[in-house]
Amino acid sequence: MGGGPQLADPILTRLVAEDRVSWYSKPNLRILYVLLFFACMGIELTSGFDSQLINALQITPTWIKFFNNPQGSLKGIISAAYSLGAILSLPFIPMVNDAWGRRGSIMAGSWVMVLGAIIQGCSVNVGMYIVARMILGFGIPTCIVSASSLIGELGYPKERPVLTSLFNVSFFFGQVMAAGIAFGTNNMKSNWGWKIPSFLQMVPSLIQIIVIYMLPESPRWLISKDRSEEAEAILVKYHSEGHVDSEFIKAEMSQIVTTLELEKEASKSSWMDLVATSGMRRRVIISTALGLFTQFSGNTLISYYFGDLLKGVGITDPITIQKMNLGNSCWSLVNAFIVSILVPKFRRRTMYMACTISSLLCYTAWTIAMARAQDAKKAGGRDQAANIATVVFMFLYSPCYNIGFNALTYTYMVEVWPYMERSRGIAIFQLWGRLAGFFGTFVNPIGLKNIEWRWLLVYDVFLIFEVIFVYFLFPETSGRTLEELAFLFEDKALAEKANEAVEEVVHHDEKAGSVTHEKSV
């Protein structure tokens, strides 16, 4: 699998550490982060809204009646259509990103999702509804890839880990919104009970369309297009609050320019670049695994079929299920936010190991509790303790999953992949995540119907594999800038070459400062 990470001396990281001024005391940086929240953070909000919407609508009486209470494989394809649409769009993402930049890609994807939401709300049959969900899914990946990259590439290095972690937390904002809206429309007697939530799925995309061009473009994309002056102006404004002579900006520009030049020399801007070297192949394997882990760790079972799981242990009242569904979404939002704030305090591998081990333990306990609850139900009785334990472990699973697979997902992907291959790398991650999501959401209702609690054993076994994989193959990436991580698996000479450019700038400034001081004396 190649050698260990080859990291150069973190000069720029040390310069960042010397900056003691908080982001909220920097006016330009404050504005940047507010704009990033509305233009980029809301993209995962759309994903969260979708996962919870289809979950909540399957409990809504008017939706069930209008679509003739879909079950089994039809129910699965309705949920999985979103992932299928996403899979179809993935080959185009790197081309769109390279041609239109991060902002243009987000704009294009947002308009596609607006169209999907309109068709979804206007659906007259289940086929039209499935197509609408595919269109929504087609639009989301280019927004996710572009937004996660833009957050990492615009954010000041000190806050970047938290920003990229909060990106995924917005997923739960979307879940809470969808659960709350569906709860509010649940008792409406007309079809507006499901149409209103369906139309409202376009709101985050409309906000992105309005705000996205208020944001600056990625400096790295501008530099890759020979627009270095524009890139430097952006970095000066937001990373040094307008101080043109900032030592940090000179070092940052030098590091980015040199690293991109070295990356270009080794890149042919082709999908084949991803398997051209052992380092790239290792990145592909890690991204593939992480995509599978984020969508096949049992989380889709709760996200899309929470109501079915509760019915399996005797909780059947729609209002009670909607309340518990909303409560679980709020709980997930709270613990995900707390974990994302703590990201800078722990090493990446530590968090992933904690995530996989705790998820395995929680899922195993949940499997045992659900087995006892359903066995008692089959025998004509009711095991109240097992029923309560089942619900408790469903709620406890959320923080276990969020420690790694929510809080670190895009932080880690942005860090593992160098700029020239970042769009393709995150697209690979998205591909395997969407494939796993499609498979999981399609087969979950079939598995629950045919083998009941035994379906959870599939996830128990897969979680064991995750623990082993993370332990042996996940590298540590914390405490470095993106350029310091660009040659994580490559020859250390490349990392040193990029580092020399930074050293030259820093040492030149130090000498200049020394000469100035001597003259003044």
Side-chain angles (χ1 to χ4, degrees):
M1 290 309 304
Q6 302 295 319
L7 298 174
D9 183 32
I11 296 173
L12 208 63
T13 298
R14 290 205 303 269
L15 289 175
V16 171
E18 292 170 6
D19 180 4
R20 306 295 182 186
V21 182
S22 301
W23 66 269
Y24 47 80
S25 299
K26 301 175 180 179
N28 291 343
L29 204 57
R30 280 202 310 267
I31 293 170
L32 176 68
Y33 291 166
V34 170
L35 291 173
L36 279 173
F37 178 82
F38 287 105
C40 295
M41 302 293 184
I43 288 166
E44 273 298 315
L45 186 151
T46 306
S47 287
F49 194 102
D50 182 85
S51 73
Q52 190 53 258
L53 178 67
I54 198 65
N55 185 16
L57 289 183
Q58 289 176 43
I59 311 166
T60 304
T62 54
W63 187 92
I64 294 170
K65 182 180 179 181
F66 188 84
F67 292 110
N68 299 316
N69 192 21
Q71 294 294 320
S73 59
L74 179 59
K75 191 174 188 177
I77 198 65
I78 290 172
S79 297
Y82 189 79
S83 293
L84 179 59
I87 292 166
L88 296 175
S89 76
L90 289 171
F92 307 105
I93 291 174
M95 292 182 287
V96 173
N97 255 261
D98 183 62
W100 297 352
R102 310 303 195 200
R103 298 183 303 175
S105 300
I106 292 170
M107 175 67 81
S110 297
W111 276 116
V112 171
M113 286 189 284
V114 168
L115 174 64
I118 291 172
I119 296 173
Q120 181 176 249
C122 294
S123 294
V124 295
N125 54 47
V126 73
M128 187 174 176
Y129 194 79
I130 289 170
V131 169
R133 289 184 50 71
M134 287 180 65
I135 294 171
L136 280 161
F138 192 89
I140 192 71
T142 185
C143 291
I144 290 176
V145 172
S146 302
S148 58
S149 299
L150 188 59
I151 291 168
E153 292 163 5
L154 276 177
Y156 189 59
K158 188 186 292 184
E159 289 89 39
R160 177 177 51 78
V162 173
L163 290 172
T164 48
S165 296
L166 286 173
F167 174 68
N168 232 18
V169 172
S170 64
F171 179 92
F172 296 108
F173 274 104
Q175 280 202 327
V176 171
M177 286 174 59
I181 292 167
F183 179 73
T185 62
N186 185 79
N187 289 331
M188 293 179 69
K189 302 302 181 184
S190 71
N191 285 325
W192 285 107
W194 65 267
K195 283 180 175 288
I196 289 173
S198 298
F199 280 126
L200 288 177
Q201 191 167 350
M202 76 174 76
V203 172
S205 298
L206 289 173
I207 293 172
Q208 287 149 210
I209 289 167
I210 294 167
V211 177
I212 189 61
Y213 280 105
M214 297 180 190
L215 264 180
E217 183 53 86
S218 163
R220 289 163 179 82
W221 183 80
L222 292 170
I223 291 170
S224 73
K225 299 298 180 183
D226 298 320
R227 294 162 63 180
S228 296
E229 289 184 6
E230 294 174 57
E232 186 170 12
I234 291 168
L235 293 175
V236 166
K237 180 176 180 179
Y238 295 105
H239 287 192
S240 70
E241 292 297 307
H243 298 300
V244 180
D245 296 324
S246 165
E247 179 187 54
F248 175 78
I249 296 301
K250 292 177 183 177
E252 187 177 30
M253 274 296 294
S254 178
Q255 187 183 63
I256 294 172
V257 170
T258 305
T259 301
L260 288 183
E261 287 175 354
L262 291 171
E263 288 182 36
K264 278 184 180 179
E265 289 175 10
S267 172
K268 298 181 180 65
S269 295
S270 162
W271 282 100
M272 294 307 295
D273 288 341
L274 301 187
V275 293
T277 66
S278 61
M280 284 298 174
R281 289 192 291 271
R282 183 168 178 181
R283 288 183 177 94
V284 169
I285 291 171
I286 290 168
S287 301
T288 298
L290 193 54
L292 293 173
F293 296 171
T294 56
Q295 294 299 320
F296 205 72
S297 296
N299 51 307
T300 55
L301 193 58
I302 298 175
S303 295
Y304 286 88
Y305 303 106
F306 190 77
D308 289 348
L309 292 169
L310 292 179
K311 289 174 185 176
V313 292
I315 301 172
T316 57
D317 177 54
I319 297 300
T320 302
I321 293 174
Q322 292 281 22
K323 286 179 179 178
M324 294 181 72
N325 189 34
L326 177 58
N328 188 47
S329 298
C330 293
W331 162 238
S332 297
L333 171 61
V334 170
N335 67 63
F337 179 78
I338 293 171
V339 170
S340 69
I341 297 300
L342 296 175
V343 162
K345 299 184 182 299
F346 298 95
R347 294 171 68 81
R348 309 289 189 255
R349 275 175 49 83
T350 301
M351 293 187 74
Y352 273 123
M353 287 304 300
C355 168
T356 51
I357 292 171
S358 62
S359 295
L360 172 60
L361 294 174
C362 185
Y363 230 88
T364 302
W366 175 20
T367 304
I368 295 168
M370 194 163 179
R372 292 184 176 178
Q374 291 191 343
D375 286 347
K377 186 180 176 184
K378 277 186 179 180
R382 181 179 177 85
D383 190 333
Q384 187 65 10
N387 289 346
I388 293 172
T390 297
V391 175
V392 167
F393 285 119
M394 286 168 62
F395 273 74
L396 286 178
Y397 176 77
S398 173
C400 298
Y401 175 90
N402 289 339
I403 291 170
F405 296 142
N406 182 269
L408 286 182
T409 297
Y410 290 102
T411 300
Y412 204 59
M413 283 293 92
V414 169
E415 290 174 348
V416 164
W417 286 96
Y419 172 80
M420 294 301 294
E421 307 301 340
R422 189 165 292 140
S423 293
R424 288 184 181 84
I426 300 178
I428 288 288
F429 159 78
Q430 279 278 311
L431 170 64
W432 288 100
R434 297 299 175 177
L435 285 170
F438 175 80
F439 178 76
T441 51
F442 180 72
V443 301
N444 277 334
I446 301 171
L448 286 175
K449 181 180 179 181
N450 293 335
I451 58 175
E452 299 179 317
W453 66 266
R454 294 170 187 82
W455 176 242
L456 273 65
L457 292 171
V458 174
Y459 294 115
D460 292 330
V461 173
F462 195 74
L463 283 164
I464 293 172
F465 168 70
E466 290 181 11
V467 173
I468 297 168
F469 190 99
V470 169
Y471 181 79
F472 285 105
L473 291 174
F474 271 34
E476 184 54 60
T477 60
S478 59
R480 302 284 174 141
T481 66
L482 297 183
E483 279 62 43
E484 287 165 355
L485 290 165
F487 306 108
L488 185 66
F489 303 119
E490 279 72 30
D491 187 343
K492 193 175 180 181
L494 291 172
E496 292 293 350
K497 192 171 181 180
N499 207 48
E500 285 170 9
V502 179
E503 285 181 336
E504 189 176 331
V505 170
V506 173
H507 291 160
H508 178 271
D509 281 3
E510 287 175 352
K511 289 178 181 177
S514 175
V515 170
T516 303
H517 177 70
E518 287 174 7
K519 286 181 178 179
S520 65
V521 172

